[in-house]
Amino acid sequence: MPAEAVDYRTMWADLGLDLEKHDMLLGVLGQAYETLFLSQKSRPKGMDYFNFVMSEVHGLRVKELRDAQAAGRKVLGAFCVFAPEEIVTAVDGILVGLCTGADFATEEVEKRIPRNTCALIKSAFGFTLGRVCPYIETVDMVVGENTCDGKKKAYETLGTILPNLYVMDLPQVKSANGRSLLRAEYERFLHAVEDLAGVKVTADRLRKGIRAVNAKRQALHRLARVRAADPAPISGLDALLVNQVAFYDDTARFTSSVNALCDELAARAARGEGVFAKGTPRILVSGCPMAVPNWKLPWIVEGAGAVIVGEESCVGERGARNLVKEDGADVGALLDNIVDRYLQVDCAVFTPNPDRLAHVKEMHTAYRADGVIHYCLHFCQPYLMESYPVAANLEAAGIPTLRIETDYGQEDGEQLRTRVEAFLERLR
Ligand code: SF4
Ligand code: SF4
């Protein structure tokens, strides 16, 4: 791997990164990756590719994006799974996720937004204000999505810091009106993307975009399904990593790498091989998204002797489930298909939101989980509000459920471990 051979410091300096702080960040990230991921036993060979991607996350991938820009393509960044990648792909653009999984420049952040804001929103500000994220500095447009109240109001402030922030409005109710709003907003986004790229979206271009993103989602569906095997052929940590990489890797390359990994996992499952012993307690994690490098909970769970077999999360199955229909004679019809697919995302900002509970139960059965850990970030109103009824419903259906509320800090690690261990005792 040529990782060490290339010096990206000139590129990072060109992007205006704070090199000293950026070095610190990479040091912490690299260390954490080694401890949490590389030390795992019986890892599938197919994870080598994802290790490589992680080792180059601020290097080669950013260079690729800059090379694409030099060749005339546009790069967009988004914080949420409601940004339709199909539309960006239709103009030959690239959509990357702006990860928000670590605290940074907290003092600076709290001068601008309240302390009791969720860690995810704070992280978006921290990486921007701290000038440590090469993606935020690279992208031609940042897409903000009006989902929860925290994000909505935060974008008003973020827009004063990021000149290229585009805010998309989103419905809160899955009604006919809600659908019309999403349809109108996706159409507005399509035109904004056309203007940015200087490319007109045709039905052929949009269909191609839909196919590419569908193929990526199908690969992720395969990965989800193969985890139903006991023993589990891949750890939850590694599966989460694949789901995280889905947000910033090249779509076609990622799709083929996930498919290759799934071939290996299917063969493993057929031989009865796994990363943990058969009969290991199986956990489904449900709740807030876990962006890179938020690996605390899976690490504690798997360190305590359980295996995570699914994530009902935007970085996981909530974000990847369902495909966009590929038939449709014109751009309008294909856009309708896109709206139909995205309106099924069961984010907790929707009211009411019965599909989410149904999906958790479905996943619990499909992946043969023994229990559910409901994961929430402090101050995340939508998921915290849902955590009570979701947990009560699951318990009533005989599914043991543990509710966890935490943030990106490590201070509560031991306390979490104790609670997770006690929960696992219930499952054994
Ligand atoms: S939880 Fe909701 S707001 Fe957050 S990324 Fe998912 S869809 Fe977007
Ligand atoms: S839905 Fe929750 S985790 Fe997501 S941005 Fe809003 S408050 Fe934060």
Side-chain angles (χ1 to χ4, degrees):
M1 284 177 209
E4 275 81 25
V6 185
D7 183 2
Y8 293 110
R9 294 185 79 75
T10 316
M11 177 177 82
W12 294 330
D14 281 352
L15 285 170
L17 295 191
D18 181 328
L19 292 183
E20 207 179 308
K21 286 195 201 143
H22 185 247
D23 282 349
M24 259 166 52
L25 177 73
L26 285 193
V28 175
L29 252 176
Q31 184 64 50
Y33 193 74
E34 219 173 299
T35 314
L36 274 58
F37 288 88
L38 300 180
S39 63
Q40 295 177 96
K41 304 229 165 17
S42 326
R43 292 183 86 205
K45 194 87 195 70
M47 286 309 294
D48 286 353
Y49 171 74
F50 299 93
N51 291 338
F52 175 66
V53 174
M54 280 309 289
S55 72
E56 284 291 336
V57 65
H58 280 204
L60 183 62
R61 183 61 184 139
V62 177
K63 186 178 178 303
E64 285 177 353
L65 297 179
R66 282 167 56 90
D67 289 348
Q69 285 171 319
R73 297 173 71 189
K74 296 294 174 189
V75 181
L76 286 82
F79 295 112
C80 166
V81 296
F82 271 103
E85 188 179 351
E86 295 84 349
I87 293 175
V88 178
T89 310
V91 298
D92 205 21
I94 302 170
L95 183 72
V96 291
L98 297 170
C99 62
T100 45
D103 293 328
F104 212 84
T106 310
E107 235 176 81
E108 276 307 301
V109 174
E110 289 178 359
K111 285 182 194 156
R112 297 179 193 245
I113 55 172
R115 177 182 290 239
N116 56 357
T117 303
C118 85
L120 207 140
I121 295 174
K122 278 180 154 178
S123 177
F125 275 73
F127 278 68
T128 308
L129 293 169
R131 287 189 291 115
V132 287
C133 174
Y135 290 87
I136 289 178
E137 308 301 333
T138 298
V139 295
D140 298 292
M141 182 195 271
V142 175
V143 187
E145 314 78 5
N146 279 345
T147 51
C148 65
D149 288 350
K151 270 190 173 180
K152 264 180 229 158
K153 299 308 288 183
Y155 290 139
E156 292 176 16
T157 304
L158 196 63
T160 64
I161 307 167
L162 283 175
N164 57 353
L165 179 69
Y166 173 96
V167 179
M168 183 187 283
D169 205 9
L170 290 179
Q172 313 274 293
V173 183
K174 293 182 180 181
S175 57
N177 282 345
R179 190 187 183 284
S180 306
L181 170 64
L182 191 62
R183 176 67 166 73
E185 281 297 288
Y186 277 3
E187 192 167 342
R188 184 170 72 91
F189 180 65
L190 183 141
H191 294 312
V193 169
E194 281 182 333
D195 289 348
L196 181 76
V199 174
K200 184 97 187 111
V201 173
T202 60
D204 278 353
R205 280 181 164 275
L206 194 51
R207 202 182 327 274
K208 226 170 123 204
I210 291 171
R211 283 195 179 131
V213 181
N214 275 349
K216 169 159 97 172
R217 294 206 176 108
Q218 271 166 326
L220 288 168
H221 299 174
R222 273 190 78 193
L223 175 65
R225 281 197 306 271
V226 78
R227 294 165 76 189
D230 184 18
I234 184 168
S235 68
L237 269 165
D238 278 338
L240 173 66
L241 190 81
V242 174
N243 278 289
Q244 290 175 333
V245 168
F247 287 89
Y248 49 83
D249 197 10
D250 172 80
T251 301
R253 186 174 60 197
F254 174 82
T255 304
S256 67
S257 305
V258 176
N259 278 322
L261 174 68
C262 288
D263 292 343
E264 181 187 353
L265 298 182
R268 263 189 174 196
R271 291 194 300 268
E273 273 172 31
V275 282
F276 293 89
K278 194 174 167 61
T280 296
R282 300 165 67 85
I283 299 293
L284 180 70
V285 173
S286 167
C288 289
M290 286 182 188
V292 176
N294 179 10
W295 301 313
K296 179 170 72 175
L297 184 68
W299 185 58
I300 289 174
V301 171
E302 299 202 327
V307 57
I308 295 173
V309 292
E311 298 79 20
E312 191 277 323
S313 162
C314 289
V315 183
E317 193 159 314
R318 187 189 316 123
R321 73 200 279 239
N322 303 319
L323 302 176
V324 176
K325 281 206 224 88
E326 294 172 9
D327 55 334
D330 52 23
V331 171
L334 292 169
L335 205 53
D336 276 330
N337 296 348
I338 292 174
V339 172
D340 288 341
R341 185 261 162 198
Y342 281 85
L343 205 56
Q344 292 180 67
V345 174
D346 43 16
C347 172
V349 298
F350 285 104
T351 180
N353 191 29
D355 293 353
R356 178 163 169 243
L357 175 64
H359 184 212
V360 175
K361 287 184 174 166
E362 210 177 274
M363 287 181 74
H364 174 268
T365 308
Y367 307 132
R368 300 197 269 167
D370 298 304
V372 173
I373 296 185
H374 194 278
Y375 162 82
C376 271
L377 287 169
H378 292 312
F379 313 118
C380 169
Q381 247 181 33
Y383 284 89
L384 283 170
M385 286 282 183
E386 281 201 357
S387 79
Y388 291 87
V390 166
N393 265 290
L394 293 176
E395 287 283 354
I399 301 172
T401 304
L402 172 69
R403 285 192 294 121
I404 296 270
E405 192 187 328
T406 184
D407 56 19
Y408 296 161
Q410 302 303 316
E411 295 75 17
D412 62 352
E414 280 315 306
Q415 192 202 344
L416 287 181
R417 193 184 311 280
T418 308
R419 293 190 59 209
V420 166
E421 281 170 356
F423 181 60
L424 297 185
E425 280 310 307
R426 245 187 102 186
L427 307 181
R428 284 193 169 107

